[in-house]
Amino acid sequence: NVPARKKFLKSDITEFRYISDTMIKFAISRQEIRFAFYDNDSLIFDVKPENPVKRIEDVLGKNIANALIPVEFENDMVKISGFIGEPLIAKQTKSGQYLFLNNRSIISKSIGYAVFSAFEHLLEKRMQPFFYINITLDPKIVDVNVHPQKHEVKFEDERYIYNILNKAVNDSLQKRN
């Protein structure tokens, strides 16, 4: 109904992919909330409050849920929780990478690289690991006003977050052997 906005829309498939990606991020990051996602009259998923592994299984599939390795780390400044995928579920794209800051989806190349570098010798060239990581820290030490959509963030000490996440992922991989 708004011609000026309509000309910026992509194809229906592309727009659906954007919406689907957003709904998946909401659904896996907020396990305590029920989400029902429809495309016209087709049910895509209907997930009820669950534990994180069951929620990932309901949204992303059983093969991913069966290949999850828990990642946990906590100190006075930061808490890292979530999952990494075993190398066998790695993809050639970054489509299976979910990074959250205080339960809000973010994009951070350097923080994503912290996970990738822990997998570097375990994956074939050009393969990307699956991960679902939530970083919880004091909002005062992160700037969310870097990007208009608030996807990109600037950490007060990004190197510290990188090192902590890399160590947490390495420790989880070593425990799984």
Side-chain angles (χ1 to χ4, degrees), residues 9-129:
L9 292 176
K10 309 279 190 251
S11 70
D12 287 350
I13 298 285
T14 303
E15 293 298 328
F16 174 77
R17 209 173 307 129
Y18 293 151
I19 294 166
S20 177
D21 186 49
T22 301
M23 288 300 298
I24 288 169
K25 288 175 182 177
F26 281 145
I28 64 173
S29 71
R30 303 302 303 259
Q31 298 98 19
E32 73 279 6
I33 299 173
R34 178 182 179 201
F35 287 91
F37 177 36
Y38 288 88
D39 178 26
N40 293 324
D41 292 333
S42 301
L43 177 66
I44 307 301
F45 62 75
D46 183 1
V47 291
K48 293 164 182 53
E50 277 292 348
N51 67 61
V53 174
K54 179 66 171 134
R55 179 56 69 92
I56 289 172
E57 178 182 329
D58 291 345
V59 175
L60 300 175
K62 195 171 194 132
N63 63 328
I64 290 178
N66 289 337
L68 294 178
I69 302 169
V71 176
E72 296 290 333
F73 176 85
E74 187 170 2
N75 67 15
D76 295 344
M77 199 172 134
V78 64
K79 177 183 177 189
I80 294 172
S81 60
F83 302 95
I84 52 175
E86 293 176 352
L88 63 103
I89 63 169
K91 296 180 178 180
Q92 289 185 337
T93 66
K94 294 182 179 184
S95 64
Q97 298 182 347
Y98 304 96
L99 184 59
F100 299 87
L101 174 64
N102 298 333
N103 283 327
R104 193 173 82 202
S105 177
I106 64 166
I107 298 169
S108 173
K109 288 181 181 179
S110 66
I111 301 302
Y113 190 75
V115 177
F116 175 78
S117 65
F119 276 91
E120 201 165 21
H121 301 294
L122 300 173
L123 297 177
E124 292 181 35
K125 200 170 192 169
R126 291 190 275 280
M127 297 300 280
Q128 300 292 324

Side-chain angles (χ1 to χ4, degrees), residues 111 155-164:
I111 301 302
F155 294 95
E156 191 173 90
D157 188 356
E158 193 157 328
R159 191 63 159 154
Y160 176 76
I161 302 296
Y162 175 97
N163 289 332
I164 291 291

Side-chain angles (χ1 to χ4, degrees), residues 77-78 100-102 104 106-108 111 135-146 150-158 161:
M77 199 172 134
V78 64
F100 299 87
L101 174 64
N102 298 333
R104 193 173 82 202
I106 64 166
I107 298 169
S108 173
I111 301 302
I135 301 170
T136 306
L137 51 86
D138 185 356
K140 293 176 186 169
I141 60 173
V142 64
D143 182 7
V144 296
N145 293 314
V146 175
K150 311 290 190 246
H151 291 308
E152 295 176 29
V153 297
K154 180 113 174 96
F155 294 95
E156 191 173 90
D157 188 356
E158 193 157 328
I161 302 296

